[in-house]
Amino acid sequence: MMRTRPLKVALLGCGVVGSEVARIMTTHSEDLAARIGAPVELAGVAVRRAGRVREGIAPELITTDAAALVAREDIDVVVEVIGGIEPARALITSAFEHGASVVTANKALLAEDGSALHEAAEKHGVDLYYEAAVAAAIPLVRPLRESLAGDTVNRVLGIVNGTTNFILDRMDSTGAGYSEALDEATALGYAEADPTADVEGFDAAAKAAILAGIAFHTRVRLDDVHREGITEVTAADIASARRMGCTVKLLAICERAADGRSVTARVHPAMIPLTHPLASVREAYNAVFVEAEAAGRLMFYGPGAGGSPTASAVLGDLVAACRNKLSGSRGPGESAYAQLPVSPMGEVVTRYHISLDVADKPGVLAQCATVFAEHGVSIDTVRQQGKGGEASLVVVTHRAPDAALSATVEALRNLDTVRGVASIMRVEGE
Ligand code: HSE
């Protein structure tokens, strides 16, 4: 039976995502009502600047007073798509205190303060949903939180930032340098005017923190995630990767240690073999592998950004939150019972591809090999390129702790016969 009194939604933010949420709520109102079991109504839209005409939204719904909107006693669900830490955190907290559930796309806030938000939602008996915070339309949060709740996830590995994937894809397909590819991404609207959050890996690291937290039932914050962006990736790195039958991707990698007693979370560029499914993820698409004990390897792929794909995830959460409101229940809260320690990057076991500019004379290879041996790092392959003043050694290691690998690189830099370290990149996905 359909309830006739509508559920009321407050929308915070009416940019690319918010306006699309409002549009779909209007154009699909009958379907949404049928799926929820009650009509759902946009009761107010908080914006920074009033006065602009917002197509499809009645002007009387627009307000610049977001605090008053979330404090209204008749609001059932608050949708937060303004992003950033404040005022989003204060508004979400106030929404909980006033009995509203919250749907948010705010990865930065969740990665910084997710546990406090979950606690506040639980205290007030309401929901906190955030499918849109990670890879937009691609279902990841719900599969990890619900579908795989009976399994043990050991690894989450993926491309979770579209802007950087577009840039690296362009560098790979055209031979362009980083700046040129960034300019193209900016001109096409993939990169923002200030691309720092994307190219320095902050966006991907926030997503990695959220995914690791859910996957491993452990609190993981942004500060726990080792982060390297793509600004140092050169055309030479991409060319080296090609010679090895690899491409370069910015990867988010969350892993449970082999003994199951700790976890790690990291974001950095890495070479992956062209045969790996992630290598074929082009342009601004996202893709995530989840490896679980019983399920095996699952791959999730799709558009990880943009107004419509993000709105799709927001609306899925909105339907869930509304259904719970109607039935007087709550969705799953935070699951952090495992409380596994998050190990530092130095303890991650990985492989390095290192390109060294060296003097071309007898004994240099042996000298370099000794440095690897002294640090307990085993060499997989070594190849000399060029001659004389152009000579370089390309070394690929076996798996070793990251701390040992980086100490090896530092020691190599100090050798008289090493003119410079041209490129260092981790190798993943083999
Ligand atoms: N800027 C992100 C990306 C989308 O390029 O994937 C929002 O997290």
Side-chain angles (χ1 to χ4, degrees), residues 121-363:
E122 179 152 3
K123 180 173 163 201
H124 295 283
V126 291
D127 280 324
L128 171 63
Y129 280 111
Y130 46 92
E131 183 65 68
V134 186
I138 308 173
L140 273 170
V141 172
R142 190 165 279 107
L144 283 170
R145 206 153 81 144
E146 298 183 35
S147 319
L148 293 167
D151 208 334
T152 301
V153 175
N154 287 324
R155 198 159 188 246
V156 179
L157 164 79
I159 296 165
V160 292
N161 183 270
T163 306
T164 48
N165 201 54
F166 180 89
I167 294 170
L168 292 172
D169 183 38
R170 275 296 187 274
M171 290 174 74
D172 186 77
S173 58
T174 66
Y178 167 74
S179 302
E180 202 184 323
L182 172 62
D183 288 348
E184 190 184 349
T186 310
L188 291 171
Y190 289 111
E192 295 185 30
D194 177 0
T196 310
D198 292 319
V199 299
E200 296 289 1
F202 288 103
D203 176 82
K207 292 166 180 169
I210 295 168
L211 292 176
I214 305 170
F216 304 136
H217 303 273
T218 282
R219 287 182 178 167
V220 181
R221 293 169 49 111
L222 181 62
D223 290 349
D224 297 319
V225 182
H226 174 85
R227 176 189 54 78
E228 294 169 35
I230 63 161
T231 54
E232 309 286 316
V233 178
T234 63
D237 291 329
I238 306 268
S240 287
R242 277 269 150 192
R243 276 193 290 275
M244 275 183 61
C246 290
T247 188
V248 176
K249 297 288 187 191
L250 183 72
L251 297 180
I253 306 172
C254 313
E255 286 172 315
R256 188 189 293 276
D259 65 6
R261 294 225 185 104
S262 61
V263 296
T264 51
R266 53 192 163 119
V267 166
H268 55 73
M271 293 184 181
I272 54 167
L274 291 170
T275 50
H276 193 284
L278 289 179
S280 55
V281 176
R282 308 288 307 272
E283 305 206 319
Y285 280 88
N286 285 191
V288 178
F289 264 91
V290 176
E291 296 174 18
E293 260 173 40
R297 296 175 93 199
L298 309 170
M299 184 167 169
F300 299 81
Y301 172 85
S308 289
T310 310
S312 165
V314 167
L315 281 151
D317 281 351
L318 179 60
V319 168
C322 286
R323 284 174 177 159
N324 293 342
K325 278 273 170 189
L326 273 189
S327 65
S329 61
R330 289 186 64 225
E334 184 183 38
S335 171
Y337 72 91
Q339 293 187 30
L340 296 169
V342 185
S343 302
M345 185 64 195
E347 290 177 24
V348 170
V349 176
T350 182
R351 297 176 68 200
Y352 272 25
H353 169 285
I354 306 162
S355 183
L356 304 167
D357 293 331
V358 293
D360 190 9
K361 59 184 190 189

Side-chain angles (χ1 to χ4, degrees), residues 4 36-37 40 78 81-82 92 99 110 142 191 204 212 217 251 253 274 315 401 413 415 420 422:
T4 48
I36 291 166
V40 59
V78 169
V81 285
I82 49 181
I92 290 174
L110 287 159
R142 190 165 279 107
H217 303 273
L251 297 180
I253 306 172
L274 291 170
L315 281 151
R413 283 188 208 278
L415 290 180

